[in-house]
Amino acid sequence: MIDPEEELLSDIIQFLKNEREIYGPFSIPVITAMPEEIKDTDTFNEPGSSFTAKSADLDKRSSASKSEAMELTLQEKLDSCTTLESLRQLCEQADELRTDLQGTNLVFGVGNPHADLMLIGEAPGEQEDKQGEPFVGAAGQLLNKILDAIKFNREDVYIANILKHRPPGNRNPNPDERLRSLPYLLKQIDLIQPKIILCLGKISGTTLLKKEDTLGNLRGVFYPFRGAELTVTYHPAALLRNSQWKRPAWEDVQKVRKRYDELGGKP
Ligand code: URA
């Protein structure tokens, strides 16, 4: 009786030889002997034998590595987004953008996709979560007034946050949440290509600048940032609680308007 193991091997060898003849030398060496690893022949013919199990293992391994290879990295997924809409769809699917508050809505960003001024806050609050739009609550009302004072309509600029989902109890975004959200926000900035980025509050400024410092030290400077100039001022919610910061915030936004005009921002 022909040994099935020998028969299989000789079939494989013949197949590889034929392939080589047709296609020339290739990277798979022709096997002339069964590798030790799978040469466990005692139970070769029995269902569930070690040979069958090992083959299945190899199959599993190779299909796992195939699907690993097919799984796109986050960077590849982000690179494939060429519009804000495609990035928004990617964010809808991204569990890593969620906080530990269940059932929140994505708050992607709003405004002119070609804005020369981009404003970046910290994270959506209750109203923002409900409406799916940043800065629509009390802090948002003040932000609209600030924009108005420096002759911008809300529709002229683009507004986003470091986090795209609401944290529980409106707590500050934690470092892990900020880190997970950052690649998406950086892609959003790259798609908009603003001339000026105004960070609202310390969390926004320190996250983007990757630099721990006080807001007092960070403000008043235009930092080069991804082809734009980034500056930091007080968060509107902080201004609602601390009126003594309104004067320096006013000075900051006056500087933003001046620099915007110097850089040829859209009128
Ligand atoms: N505070 C923020 O930082 N962002 C918002 O969208 C609302 C309040």
Side-chain angles (χ1 to χ4, degrees):
M1 205 180 99
I2 305 168
D3 179 350
E5 182 186 345
E6 291 298 336
E7 193 182 25
L8 175 66
L9 256 184
S10 102
D11 284 348
I12 292 171
I13 290 165
Q14 193 50 53
F15 169 79
L16 291 173
K17 279 182 179 163
N18 293 346
E19 291 282 294
R20 180 172 276 185
E21 235 165 64
I22 300 167
Y23 299 111
F26 49 90
S27 57
I28 310 167
V30 176
I31 307 163
T32 51
M34 178 77 89
E36 284 305 316
E37 190 193 6
I38 53 172
K39 207 176 175 182
D40 190 0
T41 53
D42 291 350
T43 48
F44 176 68
N45 287 320
E46 292 161 30
S49 70
S50 59
F51 181 80
T52 315
K54 279 174 181 164
S55 299
D57 266 6
L58 290 175
D59 279 357
K60 250 191 263 159
R61 260 185 273 158
S62 83
S63 71
S65 62
K66 256 187 238 155
S67 68
E68 263 163 34
M70 280 161 64
E71 177 100 358
L72 294 180
T73 63
L74 173 58
Q75 197 50 55
E76 285 166 335
K77 287 182 197 169
L78 289 169
D79 289 347
S80 75
C81 294
T82 53
T83 62
L84 282 176
E85 181 48 29
S86 55
L87 179 62
R88 197 191 61 74
Q89 284 171 20
L90 183 65
C91 291
E92 286 279 7
Q93 313 293 322
D95 283 342
E96 68 263 38
L97 291 177
R98 296 194 162 274
T99 65
D100 44 344
L101 186 63
Q102 303 293 309
T104 53
N105 291 310
L106 176 75
V107 181
F108 179 67
V110 72
N112 180 351
H114 307 293
D116 287 328
L117 175 60
M118 182 168 180
L119 288 88
I120 303 178
E122 296 178 356
E126 187 183 7
Q127 284 307 314
E128 289 74 20
D129 176 40
K130 275 195 186 136
Q131 298 184 39
E133 184 173 326
F135 284 99
V136 289
Q141 300 309 310
L142 180 56
L143 181 61
N144 291 348
K145 285 187 191 153
I146 293 171
L147 286 171
D148 197 44
I150 50 169
K151 313 240 171 320
F152 286 106
N153 286 321
R154 195 174 154 100
E155 301 73 45
D156 298 332
V157 302
Y158 194 94
I159 309 175
N161 280 308
I162 298 289
L163 296 200
K164 301 208 180 297
H165 281 269
R166 182 188 177 201
N170 290 349
R171 63 157 168 72
N172 282 342
N174 66 40
D176 188 46
E177 289 165 341
R178 291 190 247 161
L179 205 64
R180 285 186 274 121
S181 300
L182 196 56
Y184 295 86
L185 177 61
L186 294 180
K187 178 70 191 191
Q188 203 167 8
I189 294 172
D190 291 347
L191 286 169
I192 295 165
Q193 294 191 292
K195 291 189 192 303
I196 298 192
I197 296 169
L198 176 59
C199 290
L200 301 168
K202 182 179 150 173
I203 297 246
S204 172
T206 54
T207 305
L208 287 175
L209 291 172
K210 293 203 167 86
K211 166 179 162 150
E212 259 325 303
D213 211 337
T214 62
L215 194 123
N217 285 340
L218 292 172
R219 58 177 283 270
V221 179
F222 286 88
Y223 305 87
F225 189 85
R226 298 179 95 82
E229 292 188 15
L230 181 153
T231 191
V232 190
T233 193
Y234 296 92
H235 192 287
L239 297 179
L240 288 171
R241 293 190 300 265
N242 307 279
S243 57
Q244 76 276 17
W245 289 336
K246 283 190 178 159
R247 157 82 36 200
W250 172 245
E251 289 164 7
D252 292 342
V253 295
Q254 293 288 332
K255 279 190 197 159
V256 166
R257 178 75 230 196
K258 185 163 176 280
R259 192 73 190 124
Y260 180 93
D261 293 337
E262 282 168 3
L263 293 174
K266 286 183 262 308

